[in-house]
Amino acid sequence: SFAVRYYPELEIISSSSASLQPFGVNQNLVSVGFVVAMIICVGLGLLDLTANALPQYISFSLLACFVLAGIMHILPIAMEVVAATDDITGNASYFGADPSSIIGVAVFNFSIVIAVPSLFADCKEGVRFANATTVAVWAICLMYIIIGGLGAVSFGSESDNIMDPMLRSKSLFGMMSSFAFVWAIIPPLPIYTILISRNLEQVTQRPALSKILGVFFPWSLALFLYMSEAFGEFLVWTSILVLGFTNYTMPLAIATKSFSGTPSMNEGQGSMSRCMEIIKTAWADDSGRESLVLNFAVTLVLFLVIYLNLRKL
């Protein structure tokens, strides 16, 4: 792999390391791989959601390759570990060394839910959108469970990233699986920038400015920050503090309010009293009760994640 170091002096460097971060971290450089991924994502980000359908099919095919090749590589290792330890769980642990990171990843991955309204609006008439979304979510969930479970049994806490031991093994299936996953996650990234551009255009009524701020600016910023560990920590906290509440708690709160109807309010009633009235009215409805319970459980989990991450500081 090749990269351009821009500080303290401009130079081209190379690395033969088989790793997701062949040049390490906290380096003042830009890798060729990142530039290629950025060009692809910027190009797709300038298109609409409908035009991005084909890249998503390609991404799904690469994910399927990742799963199949990953199973071919990890399964024999898992069977050896189970036989050696005489324990079906092998090297796996129930919570791992850092359970907060697991929930943090789940919170970030669920942020794709913000694309659902736009995708639903763009889909053709008669398409069973709910069925397609359900199948896709369950397929990804099973992928995580299968690969994550086999990886935990095989490698345990050897690495924070299952790709590292797979790449170090330099086996054909390990390399295929790792690189298939890396390139599979690129086509979905422009979906976020397209949605940002849409929202900005609705507010500013200036399409060109919206594209610059929604597509070009995020990648220009990441170009000089993606090698920084501090930037990675910033993204983790952003996903927990911002995406967690906006994608989980707020939609459930809105659903609860919609099921509560318009409860009677006394003039001069405080905000806390109004809130309790809404909760009491929503609780009388079956769907409203379900929204309240889910909202409480999800918000509790988010605060637990914040507490676990604060303990690491």
Side-chain angles (χ1 to χ4, degrees):
S1 181
F2 293 88
V4 176
R5 190 190 303 276
Y6 53 85
Y7 184 84
E9 60 182 25
L10 188 64
E11 61 178 330
I12 297 177
I13 61 175
S14 63
S15 173
S16 58
S17 172
S19 170
L20 293 177
Q21 294 177 314
F23 301 99
V25 295
N26 296 323
Q27 301 291 321
N28 298 312
L29 56 82
V30 178
S31 68
V32 173
F34 181 87
V35 173
V36 172
M38 181 182 69
I39 292 173
I40 293 173
C41 288
V42 169
L44 294 177
L46 296 175
L47 305 175
D48 57 21
L49 288 176
T50 305
N52 272 269
L54 179 59
Q56 307 316 309
Y57 290 131
I58 296 174
S59 173
F60 181 80
S61 301
L62 289 172
L63 274 179
C65 177
F66 155 71
V67 173
L68 294 175
I71 291 175
M72 294 294 290
H73 172 74
I74 303 175
L75 185 58
I77 301 175
M79 294 174 65
E80 289 181 9
V81 171
V82 169
T85 59
D86 196 25
D87 186 353
I88 191 65
T89 60
N91 293 322
S93 61
Y94 288 104
F95 297 104
D98 184 11
S100 62
S101 63
I102 300 173
I103 305 176
V105 171
V107 169
F108 177 78
N109 287 344
F110 190 73
S111 61
I112 192 63
V113 73
I114 63 175
V116 170
S118 293
L119 292 173
F120 179 73
D122 286 358
C123 70
K124 295 180 180 179
E125 187 177 351
V127 171
R128 292 185 291 182
F129 183 81
N131 292 348
T133 304
T134 301
V135 170
V137 170
W138 275 109
I140 296 299
C141 182
L142 289 174
M143 180 196 76
Y144 264 92
I145 293 173
I146 293 171
I147 297 297
L150 289 175
V153 170
S154 303
F155 309 121
S157 58
E158 177 183 340
S159 174
D160 292 338
N161 196 318
I162 193 176
M163 302 296 175
D164 286 335
M166 291 172 66
L167 286 170
R168 285 198 300 267
S169 68
K170 296 187 177 180
S171 72
L172 176 62
F173 288 123
M175 301 286 279
M176 284 178 57
S177 179
S178 300
F179 288 112
F181 179 78
V182 169
W183 287 101
I185 62 177
I186 292 177
L189 294 178
I191 301 299
Y192 294 97
T193 59
I194 293 172
L195 295 177
I196 292 172
S197 299
R198 275 188 173 186
N199 293 336
L200 288 173
E201 186 174 346
Q202 290 176 354
V203 174
T204 64
Q205 299 297 316
R206 299 174 65 181
L209 179 62
S210 300
K211 289 293 183 183
I212 292 173
L213 295 177
V215 179
F216 291 98
F217 178 72
W219 282 102
S220 300
L221 191 65
L223 186 66
F224 299 100
L225 295 176
Y226 81 101
M227 294 291 291
S228 169
E229 285 185 307
F231 185 60
E233 287 295 322
F234 171 76
L235 293 179
V236 169
W237 279 104
T238 301
S239 67
I240 294 173
L241 296 177
V242 180
L243 296 179
F245 290 102
T246 56
N247 293 340
Y248 286 85
T249 304
M250 288 181 62
L252 288 170
I254 294 172
T256 300
K257 178 63 175 69
S258 67
F259 288 121
S260 70
T262 309
S264 58
M265 300 289 184
N266 297 325
E267 191 172 341
Q269 194 174 21
S271 58
M272 183 59 70
S273 299
R274 288 173 179 268
C275 183
M276 293 305 299
E277 282 292 334
I278 291 173
I279 292 174
K280 286 169 59 178
T281 309
W283 189 261
D285 183 272
D286 290 339
S287 298
R289 191 181 306 117
E290 182 178 343
S291 296
L292 280 169
V293 172
L294 285 173
N295 199 336
F296 175 78
V298 167
T299 304
L300 187 64
V301 170
L302 289 173
F303 278 113
L304 176 62
V305 173
I306 293 172
Y307 169 73
L308 292 173
N309 277 275
L310 285 173
R311 287 188 60 186
K312 295 191 302 181
L313 297 178

